[in-house]
Amino acid sequence: MQWVKRVGMDAREALRILQVIPTLEAGGAERTTVEVAQAISRAGGCAMVATRGGRMEVDLAQVGGLVAHMPVQSKNPGVILLNAQRLARLAKRANLKLIHARSRAPAWSAMWAARTQGLPFVTTYHGIYVAKGPIKRFFNAVMARGDIVIAPSDYARQHILAEHAFVDPARVVTIPRGVDLEAFDPGAVAPDRIASLRRAWGLASDDRRTIVLVPARLSPIKGQQTVIEAAAKVEAAGPGRAVFILAGDAQGRLEYVAKLDAAIASCGVTDVVRRVGHVRDMPAALAAAAVGVFPSLVPESFGRTAVEAQAMGMAVIAADLGGQSETILNEKTGILFPAGEANALAAALERVLAMPADARRAMGDAAMARARALYSAAALQEATLGVYRRLLGVSA
């Protein structure tokens, strides 16, 4: 759709943007939503978010964003239709100028609302959606129907073009997710924050084991089972060298949590692998650890937390899949291993644990330099505002 330039529209008046996302609990898409809201607010615009809500509403409010609560997380067709009507009414009442959807079910509602109100429609293709049939492919395709489609990595962009033949490549732009380089700076993390987390994790002050952090929501696709198996192999090869921290929210997956706990017990690593739940202070968690592991079993569209770890100068080990294969240079800024292979992960862990301190530090320094050069939150914010301004026909 071609958008007519709003002649005479002030740039601040134009930046009345609604982002739509299922929840604001935790995750890369949610963090990006908050960062873009911050950019809109700083530019003098109005940053609204339609969502069921969640713990990150506090973060959104701190950056000047506004929440419109509605059940946009629902995949029920009737609710999706009602949400479309709710979003259309909100757009009209709040004089919104553009709607940006960040997930499939709410994207259907958002697209309908945008079209009926004559507004530009943007999508961010946060996941690597794979269709197993025509119905699912049709459902997924809404994320490729934005006037501009934002891909978080070149890998994601190529996936979009391969999966959705109708998409004009000119409409798909790559904007990598960003890292808050002020927050994710090892020099900005006070020792008391690290000490507080160590206590919360049940680590004594004299526990000298290397902390291996696995930060991800507890989900079968995130590969925690692989970590448990690898941890058992590492412990068997040399006891007492490392402790593994599984940091992530279960988000209701109680059956999976039970399976993880059973695996920890059956592998004999109850004192080696610990589940610690959601960690709000992720910079301190990364600063407390020496090694970060990112063992996803399916391709990530970007892999934000692995980049945050690199920005902190950590040694990182990640599955060689999707966006992580772009953001981590194997053997230079981290180590990549075949997804799901516990033996390969254990071997990578052994290599990192055996590295001299200066070699590990050199890898971390290289990772930090690359992450800071390529993946800043400021770059993401400016590029996203550029998309909005392009569609709205206004200058900065």
Side-chain angles (χ1 to χ4, degrees), residues 11 31 47 76-77 137 148 153 204 208 226 252 335 362 382:
R31 176 54 55 190
N76 180 290
R137 178 168 284 106
I148 295 292
S153 63
R208 299 305 177 205
T226 306
I335 297 175
E382 188 53 38

Side-chain angles (χ1 to χ4, degrees), residues 216-395:
R217 70 182 186 275
L218 300 186
S219 167
I221 67 172
K222 290 297 185 178
Q224 286 93 359
Q225 180 78 39
T226 306
V227 174
I228 294 169
E229 295 172 16
K233 296 177 186 297
V234 169
E235 184 69 5
R241 291 177 296 160
V243 59
F244 294 75
I245 303 296
L246 306 185
D249 197 334
Q251 297 180 340
R253 300 181 184 90
L254 301 183
E255 184 177 346
Y256 178 63
V257 170
K259 288 182 179 179
L260 291 181
D261 289 342
I264 291 170
S266 65
C267 288
V269 288
T270 53
D271 189 47
V272 176
V273 180
R274 302 186 180 187
R275 286 196 305 104
V276 300
H278 175 72
V279 175
R280 183 169 180 81
D281 192 352
M282 188 52 65
L286 294 170
V291 184
V293 175
F294 306 90
S296 293
L297 300 180
V298 299
E300 302 272 1
S301 63
F302 180 69
R304 181 192 191 110
T305 313
V307 177
E308 291 172 341
Q310 291 179 84
M312 292 288 290
M314 290 182 72
V316 298
I317 302 171
D320 190 4
L321 287 173
Q324 290 180 164
S325 299
E326 287 181 33
T327 62
I328 298 167
L329 299 181
N330 192 32
E331 305 293 338
K332 295 180 180 179
T333 66
I335 297 175
L336 297 172
F337 73 96
E341 296 192 12
N343 287 336
L345 175 55
L349 285 162
E350 290 286 359
R351 283 186 55 198
V352 171
L353 292 173
M355 276 184 181
D358 58 347
R360 190 188 298 175
R361 186 162 47 250
M363 179 174 282
D365 288 346
M368 179 187 292
R370 188 169 187 269
R372 289 178 171 272
L374 299 179
Y375 304 120
S376 71
L380 172 142
Q381 290 171 321
E382 188 53 38
T384 305
L385 289 184
V387 166
Y388 296 160
R389 289 166 175 147
R390 170 182 163 189
L391 287 174
L392 293 168
V394 297
S395 58

Side-chain angles (χ1 to χ4, degrees), residues 120-131:
F121 177 56
V122 175
T123 58
T124 294
Y125 209 100
H126 282 289
I128 301 301
Y129 311 120
V130 178

